[in-house]
Amino acid sequence: EDALPAQAGGAKLLLVQPTRVLMFLPGVGVRPFVYGTVCAESASQTDVYLRAAQDAICSALNGLNACVLAYGQTGSGKTHTVFGPPGVLEEASGS
């Protein structure tokens, strides 16, 4: 199969799968990038929570360390995804 068009610096995206991406980086070679989950643009906030955060939240509530990382382009909705629409935290806390 042909690789997708070259990226900046000559990097080439070779393969995209549900849990990993393979890229060719000049001077480095083929590099896998593995991730836990990616949610579709159409996923609801509940879907995102159930797939990406519920286990971490339960672990934290049980005294274990946990981390939920929201990564993406500026303006892509990370804050909304993590905290909900404006005012929802105040509403939930009764403020």
Side-chain angles (χ1 to χ4, degrees):
E1 293 179 36
D2 291 336
L4 296 174
Q7 308 296 311
K12 292 183 182 175
L13 183 60
L14 302 174
L15 177 69
V16 177
Q17 295 179 324
T19 59
R20 71 183 183 138
V21 172
L22 288 178
M23 290 191 73
F24 172 77
L25 304 171
V28 177
V30 176
R31 296 268 324 264
F33 295 89
V34 180
Y35 46 89
T37 190
V38 172
C39 298
E41 188 175 339
S42 61
S44 71
Q45 196 163 7
T46 299
D47 293 336
V48 173
Y49 170 76
L50 292 173
R51 289 184 62 195
Q54 184 177 30
D55 290 344
I57 300 299
C58 290
S59 294
L61 292 173
N62 283 308
L64 301 172
N65 292 330
C67 176
V68 175
L69 176 69
Y71 179 82
Q73 184 175 353
T74 300
S76 64
K78 298 174 299 294
T79 301
H80 177 82
T81 298
V82 173
F83 295 109
V88 74
L89 293 177
E90 293 80 7
E91 183 180 316
S93 68
S95 300

